[in-house]
Amino acid sequence: MTADVLVIPTRRANSNHAEVARSVGRDIIGGRFAEGAKLPGDSDLTARFGVSRPVLREAVKTLVAKGLLSTKARVGTVVRERAAWNMFDPDVLAWHLDAGIDKRFLRDLAEIRLAVEPRAAALAAERRSEADLAIMRQAVERMKTESGTARAFAESDLAFHLAVASASGNAFMRSIGAVIEVALRASFALSAPDDDLEHDVVVIAHERIVEAIAAGSGEEAAAAMTNVIFNGLRRQGATDRPGALAAAGAEIAARP
């Protein structure tokens, strides 16, 4: 990790072709293989990874499907332009963490979340079931009892946001889960709430979302979700928006 770039290694893949795809994908995203460049020939790549040609071909097929590569007769295997990459693909997002992310990447993630999650929260206020609310409340309770630096805290945070997306009743919003997961993983690695005040601020901010959804207030639910996303950016140092922190901190201080 440098001052500007954070690397969050992902787990090794569980098959040879998937591990080759991961390695090449990471090199593409990291710029080792530039957009428009041809990949080395099959013999070079099979020697590099110690795999057979069929394994290499399966890896290339995977990367073609994710929009990172194209294959053409008499041209070879070429790295596609970044605009063609499927940024909603969980592997592509994970490989970005592997290759190294900066504040711009974090802001891009936050912007797509801001475009979707507040609306998901508003729809959840209209459509949620009691079972949906129970899942959200359980996730918040787990966040309360876990240290902000514990893996279980991050997993509970993720479970909460996925529950809101599910409660929206919109299949496309549910599919945003891969983006949410990567954003929260990056947030946790960069700036987990490691003191009591910050921990309580995060928990209270999530409680406000549940309360608004339970009350059927779409506007309040959307505003509360927006504050949670901006607070995450603030902890990452990618934005300046102290208002939500101050409001939640005042609420903590006013408690008996």
Side-chain angles (χ1 to χ4, degrees):
M1 176 176 152
T2 70
D4 299 313
V5 177
L6 173 71
V7 175
I8 306 175
T10 55
R11 295 179 182 177
R12 288 182 62 85
N14 56 10
S15 68
N16 286 340
H17 83 265
E19 180 58 28
V20 173
R22 172 181 175 269
S23 182
V24 176
R26 183 177 55 192
D27 285 347
I28 291 171
I29 290 166
R32 179 173 179 179
F33 298 132
E35 297 174 38
K38 286 180 60 175
L39 287 191
D42 286 2
S43 59
D44 291 334
L45 290 174
T46 54
R48 172 183 170 185
F49 294 110
V51 298
S52 64
R53 286 179 184 270
V55 168
L56 178 63
R57 292 191 189 109
E58 283 300 312
V60 169
K61 285 181 183 178
T62 296
L63 294 169
V64 168
K66 296 177 185 298
L68 273 67
L69 294 176
S70 65
T71 57
K72 296 180 181 178
R74 296 187 297 276
V75 174
T77 304
V78 178
V79 178
R80 298 188 67 187
E81 67 280 6
R82 186 174 293 266
W85 301 354
N86 181 5
M87 292 298 294
F88 286 96
D89 183 278
D91 288 334
V92 174
L93 284 167
W95 296 338
H96 273 84
L97 299 189
D98 248 348
I101 56 174
D102 56 18
K103 290 181 180 180
R104 178 179 177 181
F105 181 82
L106 293 170
R107 284 194 297 268
D108 285 349
L109 280 176
E111 285 168 0
I112 192 62
R113 291 183 67 196
L114 286 166
V116 176
E117 286 195 81
R119 181 56 182 161
L123 288 175
E126 299 175 11
R127 302 171 179 173
R128 91 295 184 281
S129 66
E130 289 303 315
D132 291 325
L133 288 173
I135 294 171
M136 294 177 210
R137 286 171 174 146
Q138 288 168 6
V140 173
E141 285 302 312
R142 289 195 299 270
M143 291 171 69
K144 278 184 183 179
T145 59
E146 293 291 342
S147 161
T149 56
R151 181 180 181 86
F153 182 93
E155 291 174 348
S156 299
D157 196 354
L158 173 62
F160 175 87
H161 287 272
L162 295 182
V164 173
S166 179
S168 74
N170 185 300
F172 292 99
M173 289 180 175
R174 291 170 182 156
S175 296
I176 201 72
V179 174
I180 298 170
E181 181 173 2
V182 169
L184 291 177
R185 282 181 61 211
S187 177
F188 182 69
L190 277 168
S191 52
D194 56 0
D195 63 69
D196 290 343
L197 175 61
E198 191 72 24
H199 176 274
D200 289 346
V201 165
V202 173
V203 170
I204 287 172
H206 285 74
E207 285 179 329
R208 287 176 178 159
I209 299 173
V210 180
E211 290 165 1
I213 290 174
S217 175
E219 185 176 343
E220 291 182 10
M225 180 64 79
T226 299
N227 270 335
V228 162
I229 297 170
F230 271 108
N231 270 337
L233 274 175
R234 176 189 55 76
R235 293 198 308 276
Q236 295 161 5
T239 191
D240 295 315
R241 180 167 169 163
L245 172 63
E251 182 173 333
I252 293 169
R255 287 184 173 184

